Amino acid sequence: MRAVITISLLVGILAGCVATSPRNLVQSGLADTHLGWQPAPENQLAFSLATASGIARIELRPLPGELEVLSLDMPGMEKVEGVQWLGSDGGHAMLFSGVPEATGVTLERKPRGFRLVIAGEALELIRGGGVLTVIDYYRG
């Protein structure tokens, strides 16, 4: 419940290079994945998510060429087991599975949850759009 409230409070604006609303670039791919937008420095896209199932699916449309960093705060997640990418062109990659598997992916532990940062080569991999899936340790 607290994660959902946190997401509601984090709704903000996107500053910088993205001329379109971030809601036009990123959306929830599962009914229980709730996104909240955060203010971001120039050339960055930042948002948060809350999920009840421990699996979050986020659909990304093609990202602008000027975008340098994408960050995702996951305040309710306990132990991220994996981050997978399925491109709109059919390509796929494991970005994280206990350790970063793609250059430019970092997963930072925060007091509550994690922050996933995607930049560099990993950002170029996902730039064309597709589905990002984050899997948390979840045993129902």
Side-chain angles (χ1 to χ4, degrees), residues 38-87:
Q38 296 183 344
E42 188 173 358
N43 299 329
Q44 295 189 21
L45 175 63
F47 55 100
S48 293
L49 70 81
T51 179
S53 67
I55 298 175
R57 185 163 294 142
I58 304 139
E59 297 175 358
L60 283 87
R61 291 192 175 76
L63 300 173
E66 309 86 45
L67 192 69
E68 296 174 359
V69 178
L70 184 145
S71 62
L72 171 63
D73 282 339
M74 304 173 284
M77 294 203 167
E78 297 176 17
K79 179 184 176 198
V80 175
E81 292 184 340
V83 179
Q84 303 170 355
W85 175 251
L86 176 61

